[in-house]
Amino acid sequence: MPTVVTERSRSAGYANTFVISAIAFIDLGYAFAISWYAIAISWYAIAISEYAIAISWYAIAISGYAIAISEYAIAISEYAIAISEYAIAISGYAIAISGYAIAISGYAIAISEYAIAISEYAIVISGYAIVISGFAFIDFVITVADCTYSKTTNRYGK
């Protein structure tokens, strides 16, 4: 059966075409809006990427700072090691000086013992001198007695 096109059906066809065109135009608006939203999201993603790059550079700078601090700590440790080695050397020198002082003390003790021996010898000699003085005193007494006796008896006068 053939299709009969009437004015009314023709108007309805135009109306349908208009509605479809309007819907297509609205879809086109949605497509533009979605495209602009996608562009905005892309710019946001670029901004986030640039922020991530900036954070990466900041992390690199902080890493450099951490490396510098580590090198400073190593330098301080090396300085402490050098001071410790110097202290060990000074301790060895002090031990050597202490040994020398002990040797000098031993020498001083030996000299003191020699002085004590000389003093003992001097005491013995003093005792000997006292004994000799005693004998001399006895000789003096005998001589005085002999002189007195000879004067009284006139023994040597003749």
Side-chain angles (χ1 to χ4, degrees):
M1 173 139 160
T3 305
V4 179
V5 177
T6 62
E7 248 342 281
R8 186 165 189 214
S9 66
R10 204 175 281 165
S11 293
Y14 291 137
N16 282 341
T17 304
F18 178 74
V19 170
I20 291 173
S21 296
I23 291 173
F25 186 71
I26 291 170
D27 287 342
L28 182 64
Y30 282 142
F32 280 132
I34 290 171
S35 296
W36 282 110
Y37 184 68
I39 290 170
I41 289 174
S42 296
W43 284 109
Y44 184 68
I46 290 170
I48 289 173
S49 297
E50 289 175 352
Y51 183 68
I53 290 169
I55 289 173
S56 297
W57 282 111
Y58 182 68
I60 290 169
I62 289 174
S63 297
Y65 182 67
I67 290 169
I69 289 173
S70 298
E71 290 173 351
Y72 182 68
I74 290 169
I76 289 172
S77 298
E78 290 172 351
Y79 182 68
I81 290 168
I83 289 173
S84 298
E85 291 171 349
Y86 182 68
I88 290 168
I90 289 174
S91 298
Y93 183 66
I95 290 168
I97 289 173
S98 297
Y100 183 67
I102 290 168
I104 290 173
S105 297
Y107 183 67
I109 289 169
I111 290 172
S112 297
E113 289 174 354
Y114 182 69
I116 289 168
I118 291 172
S119 297
E120 290 171 351
Y121 182 68
I123 289 169
V124 169
I125 289 173
S126 296
Y128 183 65
I130 290 169
V131 169
I132 290 173
S133 296
F135 286 130
F137 181 72
I138 292 171
D139 280 346
F140 172 74
V141 169
I142 290 172
T143 302
V144 169
D146 188 37
C147 287
T148 305
Y149 178 72
S150 60
K151 279 185 182 181
T152 56
T153 58
N154 204 5
R155 186 171 92 184
Y156 298 110
K158 296 182 187 177

